[in-house]
């Protein structure tokens, strides 16, 4: 494996795979039948972290598939799972007690409190009917898919919650893949071997945007708002502010097609259609922004996406996972909504040519202040293809300037094994100040990777709540330590089919005090605090005071 020696990597990463002994015993069911090659079999499923019962510990929701042909079994054998976090030590399977199961072939999970009652709800994307499940606040979920108006049958993939129409509540951006059904099924041939056909064999489906009406119902309004562009088989999606105006952009990783970057214009003359209020329309600008194609003009495969300030210049960059014998891509944010493909200078290309990436997460595993990268890998063509099919996952260490070294060989046993990796979600499930990982696979059990890296370094955690009780996507936080400032955006979505911990986590190195903490809210308000103690999580409501993050 390409990478530095143990002596040259600084703090040695250590990730322990603990899923089974922690009580998370789960494997994604993809209904793969030898020689059949139904397209949905290869996409896999994701996971979502949410504190569904508000006890201060993040719980885990995981997606699974079901039989693609024939009637569904009446016993509900194929269930998504909800695991209750027991004080960061173990998990209990509470699936049967919480109720609410979707009927589609499961892929993605988006977490968001769309009714602002303080309890996080679930949008579940499927091949088939997608579902909305509202958290009742009593430990159960209710299926409101049809009552909410969100009951749309399309091949849903990644999704995220954000306020797209500036009315103060959460709306839903739901990426869609291609128009496929069993009657359209075919297998493809690669170098004399049968395999799964790719998205180029089918017509892309348009993404959907469901606008929250504030009464528990939604109206689909992608075209009305300008959030629709042709030719995008969407897989990954993230929303955050790229151009420092405190308003989010939406970036969509399309598979083997130009990527989308939606931003809002200053034009207030949006249509008044079906209850959608006039706001500045969105427009798609990825090509002129430099993040639709690779630096050589190639429409690369795009599965997973994660965004962070990798080079420390205060602007969030874009990382995308791609295809085998192609590079993953790092788009450097140049400011003013311009990007540059920096995959070779950053050494990302050198580490990715022999892998095929799916879920990914930016995690500062060693608390040095610079976001590192985790990537789940695995091929898509099928078992009849020559190797590699299963692949090793990767952990890339950021040297602080946005250049990466592969340290996977030193990160633990999981990184030495072969997997068909798919969904990835990062969270500090044990509240110890570093990010852990859950990884979903095909044909093998889910992995729960606890970050046990012995750094001896400090951290600061922050949970933000805006005035309308939603996560302030588009905002950003700057933490200054010993005259050096690191900036983190408030992000919705990211990775692949998954939802990560939405708290912000700053690695502080050897420093136990943040000299200045500056929070810029989407409303334009700026809150500042000085001499904030490290090694704990803080909560901040917009315009309020920092408080230790306790529940409820």
């Amino acid at each position: 494996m390409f990478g530095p020696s143990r002596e040259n990597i600084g703090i040695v990463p250590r990730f322990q795979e603990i899923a089974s002994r922690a009580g998370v015993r789960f494997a994604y069911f993809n209904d793969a039948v030898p020689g059949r090659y139904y397209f949905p079999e290869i996409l896999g499923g994701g996971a979502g972290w949410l504190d569904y019962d508000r006890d201060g510990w993040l719980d885990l929701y995981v997606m699974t598939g079901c039989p693609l042909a024939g009637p569904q079994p009446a016993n509900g054998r194929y269930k998504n799972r909800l695991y209750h976090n027991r004080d960061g030590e173990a998990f209990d399977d509470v699936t049967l007690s919480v109720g609410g199961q979707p009927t589609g072939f499961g892929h993605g999970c988006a977490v968001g409190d769309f009714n602002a009652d303080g309890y996080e709800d679930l949008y579940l994307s499927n091949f088939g009917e997608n579902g909305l499940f509202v958290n009742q606040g009593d430990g159960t979920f209710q299926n409101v898919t049809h009552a909410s108006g969100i009951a749309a049958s399309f091949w849903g993939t990644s999704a995220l919650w954000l306020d797209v129409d500036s009315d103060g509540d959460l709306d839903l951006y739901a990426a869609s893949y291609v128009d496929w059904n069993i009657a359209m099924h075919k297998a493809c041939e690669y170098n004399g071997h049968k395999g799964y056909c790719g998205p180029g064999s089918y017509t892309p489906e348009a993404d959907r945007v469901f606008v929250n009406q504030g009464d528990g119902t939604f109206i689909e309004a992608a075209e009305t708002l300008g959030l629709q562009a042709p030719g995008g088989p969407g897989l990954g999606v993230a929303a955050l502010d790229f151009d420092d105006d405190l308003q989010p952009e939406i970036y969509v990783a399309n598979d083997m097609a130009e990527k989308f970057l939606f931003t809002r214009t200053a034009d207030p003359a949006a249509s008044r259609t079906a209850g959608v209020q006039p706001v500045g329309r969105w427009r798609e600008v990825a090509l002129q922004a430099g993040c639709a194609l690779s630096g050589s003009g190639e429409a690369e495969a795009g599965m997973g996406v994660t965004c962070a300030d990798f080079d420390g210049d205060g602007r969030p960059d874009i990382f995308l996972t791609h295809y085998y014998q192609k590079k993953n891509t790092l788009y450097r944010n140049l400011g003013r909504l311009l990007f540059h493909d920096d995959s070779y200078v950053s050494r990302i290309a050198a580490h990715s040519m022999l892998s095929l990436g799916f879920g990914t997460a930016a995690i500062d595993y060693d608390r040095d202040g610079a976001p590192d990268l985790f990537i789940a890998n695995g091929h898509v063509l099928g078992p009849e293809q020559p190797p590699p099919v299963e692949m090793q996952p990767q952990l890339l260490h950021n040297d602080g300037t946005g250049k990466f070294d592969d340290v996977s060989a030193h990160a633990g046993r999981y990184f030495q094994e072969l997997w068909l990796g798919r969904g990835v979600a990062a969270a500090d499930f044990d509240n110890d100040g570093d990010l852990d990982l859950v990884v979903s696979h095909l044909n093998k059990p889910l992995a729960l990777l606890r970050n046990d890296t012995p750094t001896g370094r400090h951290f600061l955690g922050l949970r933000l709540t805006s005035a309308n009780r939603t996560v302030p996507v588009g905002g950003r936080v700057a933490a200054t330590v010993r005259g050096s400032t690191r900036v983190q955006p408030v992000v919705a979505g990211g990775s692949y089919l998954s939802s990560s911990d939405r708290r912000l986590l700053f690695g502080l190195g050897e420093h136990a005090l943040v000299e200045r903490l500056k929070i810029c809210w989407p409303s334009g308000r700026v809150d500042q605090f000085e001499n904030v103690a490290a090694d704990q999580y803080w909560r901040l409501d917009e315009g309020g005071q920092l408080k230790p993050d306790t529940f409820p």
Side-chain angles (χ1 to χ4, degrees):
M1 182 174 287
F2 194 111
S5 68
R6 187 183 183 97
E7 292 74 20
N8 295 327
I9 65 173
I11 291 176
V12 177
R14 182 185 299 163
F15 285 81
Q16 297 284 339
E17 201 293 291
I18 64 166
S20 181
R21 69 176 181 264
V24 182
R25 300 177 182 92
F26 174 84
Y28 180 85
F29 177 77
N30 70 328
D31 194 31
V33 175
R36 188 177 70 177
Y37 297 105
Y38 281 179
F39 199 2
E41 296 170 5
I42 59 170
L43 260 65
W49 291 101
L50 73 161
D51 183 9
Y52 81 96
D53 56 352
R54 294 185 58 186
D55 66 352
W57 301 93
L58 288 173
D59 311 301
L60 177 63
Y61 193 91
V62 290
M63 302 293 293
T64 195
C66 62
L68 284 163
Q72 300 299 311
N75 61 6
R77 172 184 169 190
Y78 305 99
K79 290 181 178 293
N80 299 338
R81 297 282 174 177
L82 177 62
Y83 293 93
H84 178 255
N85 186 345
R86 190 156 23 97
D87 298 336
E89 298 292 334
F91 291 81
D92 296 319
D93 186 341
V94 296
T95 304
L96 295 178
S97 63
V98 299
Q101 281 291 322
T103 58
F105 184 90
H107 289 308
C109 175
V111 176
D113 181 11
F114 76 85
N115 56 4
D117 65 353
Y119 291 90
E120 294 171 309
D121 311 302
L122 292 168
Y123 175 79
L124 308 178
S125 61
N126 305 299
F127 172 71
E129 185 175 86
N130 301 275
L132 181 63
F133 294 80
V134 63
N135 188 336
Q136 300 287 90
D138 59 1
T140 67
F141 288 81
Q142 180 184 0
N143 187 340
V144 297
T145 304
H146 291 269
S148 67
I150 220 163
S153 293
F154 58 93
W155 192 349
T157 54
S158 295
L160 57 79
W161 295 95
L162 80 160
D163 185 2
V164 299
D165 58 352
S166 299
D167 67 350
D169 55 27
L170 288 179
D171 312 300
L172 181 74
Y173 188 102
S176 182
Y177 197 42
V178 298
D179 181 12
W180 183 93
N181 58 52
I182 290 175
M184 302 165 65
H185 165 64
K186 59 183 176 180
C188 288
E189 189 171 296
Y190 305 91
N191 299 318
H193 301 276
K194 285 180 67 177
Y196 293 95
C197 296
S201 298
Y202 303 98
T203 302
E205 282 202 301
D207 296 347
R208 271 69 161 182
V209 178
F210 295 98
V211 175
N212 191 340
Q213 301 300 290
D215 59 0
T217 66
F218 292 80
I219 292 173
E220 204 291 313
E223 185 176 359
T224 299
L225 293 170
L227 283 165
Q228 203 169 78
L235 286 180
V237 59
L240 65 155
D241 175 23
F242 285 117
D243 57 357
D244 295 331
D245 65 355
L246 297 178
Q247 298 301 310
E249 278 72 42
I250 302 172
Y251 187 78
V252 185
N254 293 314
D255 191 4
M256 302 297 295
E258 291 187 15
K259 313 304 178 272
F260 297 156
L261 178 64
F262 292 103
T263 189
R264 220 174 313 203
T265 70
D267 178 13
S271 301
R272 292 180 180 271
T273 302
V276 177
Q277 297 301 313
V279 297
R281 276 179 59 85
W282 297 76
R283 57 193 176 101
E284 202 286 300
V285 298
L287 194 60
Q288 51 265 49
C291 56
L293 305 168
S294 73
S296 60
E298 184 178 358
E300 298 169 306
M303 276 72 82
V305 55
T306 190
C307 302
D309 178 14
F310 293 111
D311 57 354
D313 67 355
R315 296 186 290 262
D317 311 300
I318 303 171
F319 173 76
L320 291 173
T321 57
H322 292 311
Y323 200 71
Y324 179 60
Q325 294 184 330
K326 302 287 186 179
K327 65 175 179 62
N328 291 336
T329 296
L330 179 65
Y331 291 110
R332 191 82 69 188
N333 188 341
L334 305 178
R336 299 186 178 182
L337 223 55
L338 294 173
F339 295 84
H340 177 261
D341 184 344
D342 209 25
S343 308
Y344 291 94
V345 172
S346 65
R347 301 197 287 263
I348 288 293
H351 301 310
S352 55
M353 291 295 188
L354 298 180
S355 60
L356 190 159
F358 273 89
T360 182
I363 60 170
D364 181 9
Y365 73 84
D366 57 355
R367 294 182 182 166
D368 65 354
D372 312 300
L373 282 167
F374 173 84
I375 306 154
N377 295 314
H379 221 311
V380 296
L381 297 184
E384 293 186 30
Q385 298 298 311
V389 178
E390 296 179 325
M391 298 176 177
Q392 291 175 308
Q394 291 175 288
L395 183 67
L396 305 184
H397 178 258
N398 185 347
D399 70 358
T401 69
K403 295 182 175 62
F404 292 85
D405 293 304
D406 192 329
V407 297
S408 311
H410 311 286
R413 180 178 175 181
Y414 172 82
F415 290 84
Q416 310 313 310
E417 298 176 355
L418 299 176
W419 309 86
L420 287 173
R422 292 300 186 258
V424 171
D428 184 8
F429 76 82
D430 50 5
N431 287 338
D432 66 350
D434 55 38
L435 286 176
D436 314 293
L437 297 159
V438 63
V439 189
S440 181
H441 310 106
L442 299 183
N443 305 334
K444 289 183 180 179
L446 173 145
L448 181 60
L449 302 177
R450 188 180 63 203
N451 185 353
D452 291 337
T453 304
T455 68
R457 292 171 170 169
H458 301 282
F459 75 93
L460 184 137
L462 187 63
R463 185 162 65 93
L464 300 177
T465 304
S466 59
N468 53 19
R469 302 182 72 180
T470 62
V471 177
V473 179
R476 62 180 178 270
V477 177
T480 301
V481 177
R482 293 288 178 93
S484 176
T485 300
R486 279 283 182 178
V487 179
Q488 289 195 31
V490 182
V491 181
S495 191
Y496 171 76
L497 307 180
S498 300
S499 293
S500 294
D501 189 343
R502 277 150 316 153
R503 297 174 295 183
L504 300 181
L505 192 59
F506 288 86
L508 305 178
E510 313 304 326
H511 311 297
L513 194 71
V514 174
E515 297 159 13
R516 186 197 312 177
L517 193 65
K518 181 179 179 181
I519 300 93
C520 300
W521 303 86
S523 66
R525 181 185 175 88
V526 176
D527 290 322
Q528 296 191 66
F529 304 91
E530 296 183 353
N531 298 324
V532 180
D535 299 326
Q536 69 179 88
Y537 279 94
W538 295 92
R539 173 177 177 167
L540 179 63
D541 299 321
E542 184 174 1
Q545 294 298 312
L546 278 177
K547 300 177 182 178
D549 192 8
T550 57
F551 283 78

